[in-house]
Amino acid sequence: MDATRRQILKGAGLLLILGARANPDAAPEAAGAAAEGAYNPHEHLWGMTIDIEKCIGCGNCVRACAQENDVPEEYFRTWIERYEIEGGDLEHPKVSSPDGGKHGFPPSSETTTKQFFVPKLCNHCQESPCVQVCPVGATFDSPDGVVLVDESYCLGCRYCVQACPYGCRYIHPKKMTVDKCTLCYHRITKGLTTACCEACPTQARVLADLKNPADPVHVFLRENKVQVLKPHMATRSKVYYRALDGAVR
Amino acid sequence: MMTPVPGVEGFMYPNEVELQWSLLIVLYPYITGLVAGAFILASLERVFRVKAVKPTYRLALLTALAFLLVAPLPLQLHLGHPERSFEMYLTPHRSSAMAMFGFVYLWYLLVVLLAEIWLDYRADIVRMAAVETGWRRWLYRALTLGSMNISEEARAVDDRVGYWITIIGIPSAFLLHGYVGFIFGSVKANAWWSTPLMPIVFLFSAMVSGIAAVMLLYMAAMYMQGKKVDMLCLDTIAKYLFFVFLIDFSLEMLDLVHRIYEADESFRSLDFMVHSRLWTSQVVIQIVLGTCVPLALLAAVLVWRFSETARKRMYVAAGLLTLVGIFAMRWNVVIGGQLFSKSYLGYTSYKLDFATREGLLPAIVLMLLPFAILWALVKLLPPWKPEEGDRDGVCPAAP
Amino acid sequence: MQGRWKDSIHLIRPAAVFLAGLLLFLVVRAYIVPPTFGQYGHYRGAVLDEVRARPVKYAGQETCAGCHVEETEVKGKGKHATVACEACHGPAARHADDPGSMRPMKPEGTALCAGCHEMDTAKPKWFRQVNTKEHMPGMKCTECHAAHSPALH
């Protein structure tokens, strides 16, 4: 139906360029995924909890993410930062993230400073600045609370990269569209956890379904003091950190 | 412990090392600024009846059109997928400042500029459609849209409608450029950009650059045609330039003072940036050479008496420095806003390529293109009567 | 009044050109916007299924445990109970789909152990760490510790 309509359009000579554009909805794999599923996006709300006291900076999450999602070299959907703070000087932490912490960190024997690791990823904000600025609806907040990108619709204008306060987005050097953490949407909607959580040896990061009353996240949030990154940005982040230091930005 | 990344100092989030918006995005607000400024100068004559600037009325309109036609090109060239840009018209996201660009642009191009130029030139177009030969004849005949009625009454109607279009056009020009400022000013993640003053600073700097550009173009056009420059017109434009520039400079200084006094979490980082990576382009070029010097020159003309030649030279110098200064301002906003980390712990650098898609070469071509278009427009729709270049040389039916 | 109409009628022409353009745009737009756009929000609804259809590479702990019962049991009783198989053996979904097609990697012990357990003051205190240069130099970790259940054997 749609195809014939568009052929008529073409025949009439109306905006040939527009007519020539392939309809992304015709993608064959879409039908396959739909057939699989009893998954109802309205029944879930995804987020993550990160316990700073459990992170050992091994880099397993960064490597697993890169493998699972074919993340291009030198770009990161998740990464680890190492903080080093002297006394009360929260304004000037020494921060490093060699190759995103992908291969771990050189061990330190410094005992006079406070040191710890901070894993980072997209915060899947509920008031996402990146979604707000996308001019065409190529990036969006899914019904189950995951900020995703429509690769076949993204212009590559990079406005969302500018708007993200956390540096979680980049332009894929081959696709020339924006790329970011999908919270392993292809996994979590099939009952698996994310690649980073799967690979984390200490359970420092744990996937959370905030709409599932049986999810341990509710106990975690009740029993711990938690914080989100850059709370003053008021993005309603859904990545909750336990034992997050005030120096982290 | 720090792994050195070329061009990076301190800590950047790993995805931040690469700059997102290049020189082409510097050109975009620069060019739309020239459009808005030139149009506002044209509307001075039309709406506010500043008779002295009449010789530049049509030139200002054509300048605005020439630059407006080029304005979307740097954006288009910058996109990862230029072939998808029409999606902005298909499914514009209402919460996105950028999505509105397409609509503001079309509104301004079609409803304001083209309509106003058509109404103003209609009598000339009809006349030339009768006089010219060959392809030009066909072109002018097409431009008449099939109506040859240029009776006195019809011209009076055109003038009335044109007046109202100009009145709509002024807020539209404000919208066009104020909105460009909003694109930057509304990014809360970026402390260098995020200020409510951004749209208004962009607007006034747009007027400054547009007025300076039309002033220079008018002098150049008169010089090339061997005609005498209307000094009353020039002095008046220079006076407007001075006052608008003064407002612009005050707004920018207000922003600066506010930032220094409040000294929020971003201040140390930005202050260091201005004193290091942006020192030349911000302090030396934008503030000293591009603002203080032209302001001093323009003020001097208002305070002391100078000969005509001296005044002309001062105007040329002030105009050129102004254009360089406003360009530096756009550079410092767009590039400067991407040199520091959103963690406020480090800095990256911008490497300008030459012959790449977003390099210096396409930028130069894009900057020359409006002048080529303007040249063609002036040939096609002469702003002045063939034999005169002075203040009588405007549309005969204009009041 | 009639003269005024006659002298304004030429304005209809540019207005007609604009209207024709607008109409054309609206017609084209109606045909070309992807059908599922707006299904859930301001985006193409079909993209959710497209993203879901991406291939899985890490099979997940449950899948591994489904076949490798013995290893899972040993690991479950030891200190590495919370470490998933693929955390050390790498992504194995292809192996799970067709065990013959690919074997998960068997990591070289000592370097892998050091990746987590090398002494580093930035690591949390509760986490067992050793200085591999001082702690039994010249020996392999697995000479004393079993990887799946690393208490001394």
Side-chain angles (χ1 to χ4, degrees), chain B residues 83-336:
Chain B
E83 80 284 1
R84 294 180 186 167
S85 59
F86 68 92
E87 287 169 2
M88 280 211 213
Y89 290 108
L90 295 184
T91 57
H93 195 198
R94 266 169 304 173
S95 68
S96 168
M98 194 182 274
M100 293 303 118
F101 169 77
F103 294 96
V104 174
Y105 177 82
L106 275 193
W107 166 266
Y108 193 74
L109 177 69
L110 299 175
V111 180
V112 178
L113 260 188
L114 285 183
E116 181 161 346
I117 291 174
W118 188 72
L119 288 171
D120 197 64
Y121 272 98
R122 216 170 58 82
D124 303 51
I125 291 170
V126 170
R127 198 159 27 77
M128 287 184 284
V131 180
E132 294 286 343
T133 53
W135 64 270
R136 288 175 72 101
R137 181 191 180 85
W138 288 104
L139 182 68
Y140 287 120
R141 283 182 76 160
L143 286 177
T144 62
L145 297 180
S147 170
M148 299 293 176
N149 183 5
I150 48 167
S151 64
E152 199 123 314
E153 292 77 16
R155 295 296 299 142
V157 170
D158 285 350
D159 193 57
R160 199 77 206 132
V161 175
Y163 175 78
W164 282 106
I165 287 181
T166 316
I167 288 188
I168 300 169
I170 294 172
S172 302
F174 275 55
L175 188 67
L176 181 73
H177 207 69
Y179 134 89
V180 176
F182 188 78
I183 283 189
F184 293 96
S186 62
V187 178
K188 71 176 165 191
N190 190 312
W192 187 242
W193 292 345
S194 176
T195 155
L197 278 180
M198 196 61 98
I200 194 102
V201 166
F202 261 53
L203 191 60
F204 275 92
S205 56
M207 290 203 264
V208 168
S209 64
I211 294 171
V214 174
M215 181 178 82
L216 290 176
L217 280 170
Y218 172 64
M219 280 194 267
M222 292 300 107
Y223 179 79
M224 283 195 288
Q225 295 174 29
K227 290 175 190 166
K228 200 177 158 338
V229 170
D230 183 335
M231 274 321 276
L232 175 61
C233 171
L234 208 55
D235 288 332
T236 312
I237 296 178
K239 198 166 75 190
Y240 279 107
L241 179 60
F242 175 73
F243 287 117
V244 177
F245 213 159
L246 210 55
I247 298 173
D248 177 45
F249 190 50
S250 314
L251 287 170
E252 285 188 43
M253 286 305 108
L254 178 64
D255 183 50
L256 194 68
V257 169
H258 191 83
R259 279 172 190 276
I260 294 171
Y261 195 82
E262 267 200 355
D264 67 7
E265 58 162 0
S266 65
F267 179 67
R268 278 168 195 275
S269 182
L270 300 182
D271 185 52
F272 178 78
M273 183 172 76
V274 171
H275 283 89
S276 53
R277 294 180 187 220
L278 282 187
W279 180 259
T280 313
S281 60
Q282 174 106 1
V283 178
V284 179
I285 299 180
Q286 182 190 329
I287 295 179
V288 177
L289 288 178
T291 305
C292 295
V293 175
L295 270 179
L297 285 170
L298 294 170
V301 175
L302 292 180
V303 177
W304 295 294
R305 284 172 177 279
F306 291 94
S307 71
E308 238 179 57
T309 328
R311 257 155 48 217
K312 272 196 241 171
R313 281 183 188 154
M314 288 163 80
Y315 292 153
V316 170
L320 287 174
L321 284 174
T322 301
L323 286 178
V324 171
I326 300 292
F327 182 82
M329 181 260 182
R330 309 292 190 232
W331 172 281
N332 294 324
V333 169
V334 177
I335 303 295

Side-chain angles (χ1 to χ4, degrees), chain A residues 5 18 25 53 55-56 60 64 67-68 70 82 107-108 110 115 137 140 143 150 152 186-187 189-190 198 203, chain C residues 24 31-32 35-36 42-44 46-47 52 55-59 61 82 84 87 91 119-121 123-124 126:
Chain A
R5 271 182 183 173
L18 302 190
D25 280 347
E53 306 250 340
C55 182
I56 57 169
N60 252 14
Q67 295 226 27
E68 178 74 27
D70 296 316
R82 176 203 200 112
S108 159
E110 183 60 63
Q115 297 175 71
F140 55 91
D150 184 345
S152 65
H186 61 300
R187 300 175 57 89
T189 54
K190 293 180 190 125
E198 180 72 30
Q203 262 94 65
Chain C
L24 181 70
Y31 279 94
I32 208 164
T36 60
H42 192 84
Y43 56 95
R44 217 161 46 82
V47 72
R52 286 190 68 197
V56 165
K57 294 180 186 159
Y58 280 79
Q61 183 57 33
T82 60
M119 179 75 79
D120 182 349
T121 46
K123 286 178 185 169
W126 64 266

Side-chain angles (χ1 to χ4, degrees), chain A residues 133 153-155 159 175 233, chain B residues 81 84 87 96 183 188:
Chain A
V133 301
Y153 214 65
C154 172
L155 307 177
Y159 200 12
K175 298 175 184 166
M233 284 288 159
Chain B
H81 284 271
R84 294 180 186 167
E87 287 169 2
S96 168
I183 283 189
K188 71 176 165 191

